[in-house]
Amino acid sequence: MNVLNIAMKEFYTSIKSKRFVIILAVYLLFVFLIAYSIKGHFLELTEPQVSRTNLGPFGAEGDTYMTPLSAMLFLNFTFFTIFGAIMGAALGADAINKEVETGTIKVLLGHPVYRDEIINGKFLGNALVLAITILVGYVFTIAFLLIIGVPLDSESFFRGLIAFMMTLLYTLVFLSISILFSTLFKKSETSMLISVGLAIFLTLIYGIIVTLIAGHLAGERPPYGTPAFDMWRENVNLWEQRLHFINPAHHYAKLMILIFSGDRITNTYTPLSEAFSLGFNNLAMILVTLLLPFSVAYVKFMTSDLR
């Protein structure tokens, strides 16, 4: 019961903070601007079609089935690759060390509550904040399409719910990492800077570095149009996939493409069973990068001297 009490306290504290209000407002503003800028495309998209989608910065590409709803949800969740990472990092970066800095951890531990209940409660409370934010974006997307008169389809709606759950798992990865930093660093400003900086680096900068490093590792570039160039290109792609493998954003982008993947022959969705079979390794890596940092943070917090 103490875990739920701490989780709800953390939840109410987070949603009442200026940080959460600003982040949510910026998110909804960007979603609205993106949706409004391509409104005409949705109105013209009377016949759903399979098209090639390339999320180059995250090393993911594939065929996606674009209905008005799936196209809008895909854009929304793709945008969350960057925004969700920063938000997850910002929420957990001062979850523990701020309590130590202000001395409130002693007051908290003065009550009949265990340390594991504190860290679990803080994780659950901030996870609920992330879930509410993603859900608001999901509902906002559907409401926007209904307002402009775009018809919805049940298959895209269902796949959007699956994408919602995958997006929550992805943002929890950065929440988990930032909580780890909040147990490792005494200053909340330090953990906040490193957590948000890491989220920005992995989602905005890492893809550029991967391209440069992969080109270097593949060797000197042969003349364009020769067989040697094709082999060099394959080698570059192989190194890019290897380097992207450690990045949670890569696995999330791959999962988004698989959830909305389409079959060009039948011009419809790829069955979900096939999509999840192809994305099993990506989902496994998301879970590993979620559980591993939190496990280390858990051990660190349980063994720390908080006096």
Side-chain angles (χ1 to χ4, degrees), residues 81-286:
T81 309
I82 302 170
F83 183 85
I86 296 173
M87 186 172 185
L91 283 174
D94 59 356
I96 301 298
N97 51 13
K98 191 172 183 180
E99 297 275 8
V100 178
E101 275 184 311
T102 58
T104 53
I105 191 71
K106 294 178 182 177
V107 178
L108 194 56
L109 289 173
H111 293 81
V113 60
Y114 297 102
R115 290 193 183 192
D116 60 329
E117 293 172 332
I118 294 175
I119 191 168
N120 288 335
K122 285 183 172 292
F123 183 85
L124 290 176
N126 285 309
L128 185 57
V129 174
L130 290 170
I132 294 291
T133 305
I134 301 168
L135 183 62
V136 168
Y138 185 79
V139 173
F140 181 86
T141 301
I142 293 175
F144 179 82
L145 291 176
L146 290 174
I147 289 172
I148 65 175
V150 174
L152 309 181
D153 60 288
S154 58
E155 179 73 9
S156 299
F157 185 86
F158 178 67
R159 288 179 184 250
L161 291 177
I162 296 174
F164 163 81
M165 290 185 282
M166 294 300 110
T167 302
L168 179 59
L169 279 180
Y170 168 68
T171 55
L172 291 181
V173 169
F174 287 90
L175 175 63
S176 174
I177 293 172
S178 63
I179 287 180
L180 170 61
F181 287 149
S182 77
T183 63
L184 294 178
F185 298 100
K186 293 183 179 179
K187 296 288 185 181
S188 57
E189 293 84 359
T190 305
S191 57
M192 180 68 74
L193 184 64
I194 294 177
S195 298
V196 175
L198 179 65
I200 293 173
F201 173 77
L202 290 177
T203 56
L204 292 175
I205 302 173
Y206 186 72
I208 301 172
I209 294 176
V210 163
T211 302
L212 296 175
I213 294 178
H216 178 73
L217 293 174
E220 187 176 351
R221 176 177 174 172
Y224 180 78
T226 62
F229 178 85
D230 295 336
M231 292 181 63
W232 176 83
R233 185 68 255 176
E234 289 180 8
N235 205 14
V236 170
N237 291 338
L238 181 61
W239 276 113
E240 286 181 347
Q241 290 300 311
R242 288 171 177 170
L243 294 170
H244 274 301
F245 195 75
I246 63 171
N247 188 0
H250 163 74
H251 299 288
Y252 172 68
K254 292 276 286 187
L255 286 172
M256 287 301 103
I257 288 178
L258 287 171
I259 290 171
F260 294 104
S261 62
D263 188 324
R264 286 182 179 274
I265 299 176
T266 59
N267 193 39
T268 185
Y269 277 118
T270 302
L272 277 173
S273 57
E274 182 179 337
F276 274 106
S277 175
L278 294 172
F280 179 79
N281 288 342
N282 303 110
L283 180 58
M285 275 302 293
I286 290 281

Side-chain angles (χ1 to χ4, degrees), residues 7 24 74 90 122 137:
L24 181 62
F74 186 80
K122 285 183 172 292

